[in-house]
Amino acid sequence: MIHLDNISKQNGHQILFIEASAALLRGEKIGLVGPNGAGKTTLFRLITGQEQPDEGQVSVDRGVTIGYFSQDVGEMGGRSAVSEVMDGAGPVSALAAELADLEAALADPDRAGEMEALIERYGEVQGRFEELGGYALDGRAREVLAGLSFSQDMMDGDVGNLSGGWKMRVALARILLMRPDVMLLDEPSNHLDIESLIWLEEFLKGYEGALMMTSHDREFMNRIVGKIVEIDGGTLTSYSGDYEFYEQQRALKEKQQQAQFERQQAMLAKEIRFIERFKARASHAAQVQSRVKQIEKIERVEPPRRRQAIAFDFPPAPRSGEDVATLKSVHKSYGSRSIYEGLDFQVRRKERWCVMGINGAGKSTLLKLVAGAAAPDEGTVSIGASVKMGYFAQHAMDLLDGERTVFQSLEDAFPQAGTGTLRTLAGCFGFSGDDVEKRCRVLSGGEKARLVMAKMLFDPPNFLVLDEPTNHLDLMTKEMLIKALALYEGAMLFVSHDRHFLAGLSNRVLELTPEGIHQYGGGYTEYVERTGQEAPGLRS
């Protein structure tokens, strides 16, 4: 359906693709992976024709429809979320608009003279609209929006009043309703809660068209794709299988390439030693010349490219008392909406609680109450002896001073620390070399999240309160964070929609549901086994 043949592409000084080739065939579901900045979004733009390759060719089969979801959703406003979604449904949406215009014209007394022509056109348009399933369109649009966690009020309200994250869901719903022959989805799992993620997973598994997507959620990708295309160093390499299989194959390939490189280096060293030893001897001149020519002809094996891996290395946290946080008879409301009525909850040393609950259940509110960012209306929240808290909130990234550099931001937070110590800290969180001189205003979401974490974890707390800490992190950074936090000895209370993160770090689950609050011993994996659901209100 889509073929990329020997494409080369350069953006400024950065070479993205060098004679790279790949294909997306009918019915294939492909995960596109590669380091940040490798060219994943550029590849999507080349396929959609928004950009052209410098060399090579991108060909799309005749008549193939493409739906492209990107992180840049543009302006929305002035109509309902349902109307916005239906507008993306291709020809049927144009027919719906024409039907509305014709109905207005038929009711207009000033156009009585055109009545016959209007009625005839109305019949034609209505027939075609019905043929394309137009009357079911509103219902289908609402079904998709409900799957992405929209309430009826949000569906019918002005889309302009929604936050950026919800507008992204509207843009995603447009593509899903459109059901094109090919879907290109750039980070569709961003900004989705776990319930919406699981719904989208099922939708895409049942989608019969071809799919190419990027995602920082490995569990989501594992369940959908059957092939991985990796962008690395300007090349496109295909691997059959899911993301987990790709990781195993890539590691094996690297190991084999390293062994091959080392064997060749050993052989070359041996030949060079012979040449050096006998080059001055006339009796060996012919042999020496022969070996020099042989070495020149040998195709050199390159060592495997080592991806720069971020290693979070926390100093050990000081020990806290046994009781870390205690909530007694806590009541909390926002206006007429009651969130908690008499909540009793306790976090003890070494417990790692993940908080589960649908949108609006009070997950972030609980974290704010514990962190002291919100006060209970009634009841008490007390923090135990020797507890030093680190709180990661979504708004923390907005509080970074845009004009300060990464290094200055760390220096402001830790004026007593030496330059070398702060550079090492920055390096641990992925800011190496000149990256520390970047101003905070130009940082990506992931870079901002890493900087906030660096500030939080440098002088380690023994109680971490984390609200969606992985939202903006790429797969590699997320993996490193999970490994580091697995060794962390303090207590944790966290909210995340990343099932890999939940399974890797929790040993307790607090479930917030309309029927009540439930506590489970054992982590997220045990919770799924015991309840038969991956999130409250969903059956797996």
Side-chain angles (χ1 to χ4, degrees), residues 94-154:
L95 292 169
E98 191 177 348
L99 273 181
D101 290 344
L102 286 165
E103 281 165 9
L106 287 166
D108 185 352
D110 294 339
R111 299 186 67 178
E114 305 169 53
M115 200 56 66
E116 198 174 319
L118 286 171
I119 289 169
E120 189 182 338
R121 179 61 188 157
Y122 187 81
E124 289 168 8
V125 174
Q126 191 179 38
R128 181 71 180 131
F129 184 68
E130 202 167 332
E131 203 179 294
L132 290 173
Y135 287 109
L137 192 64
D138 181 89
R140 280 173 49 218
R142 287 178 187 278
E143 197 180 315
V144 171
L145 286 169
L148 296 175
S149 299
F150 280 75
S151 66
Q152 290 298 328
D153 287 348
M154 289 168 79

Side-chain angles (χ1 to χ4, degrees), residues 54 115 136 170 210 217 239 255 287 373 385 406 439 473 500:
D54 300 332
M115 200 56 66
V170 170
D217 187 319
Y239 296 81
K255 197 176 174 182
Q287 277 178 289
V406 168
R439 295 198 187 278
L473 301 183
H500 188 54

Side-chain angles (χ1 to χ4, degrees), residues 194-249:
I194 195 165
E195 290 82 7
S196 302
L197 259 178
I198 292 164
W199 177 86
L200 180 59
E201 211 167 81
E202 290 304 314
F203 184 97
L204 293 176
K205 277 197 259 183
Y207 167 63
E208 290 174 1
L211 169 70
M212 183 183 275
M213 70 171 190
T214 62
S215 176
H216 290 162
D217 187 319
R218 64 182 291 149
E219 199 63 41
F220 178 72
M221 201 186 287
N222 265 340
R223 296 181 188 202
I224 295 166
V225 306
K227 181 175 167 183
I228 296 287
V229 171
E230 177 193 55
I231 305 179
D232 195 15
T235 62
L236 292 168
T237 311
S238 296
Y239 296 81
S240 291
D242 61 13
Y243 183 80
E244 210 153 302
F245 182 74
Y246 148 75
E247 272 196 320
Q248 292 163 4
Q249 290 301 301

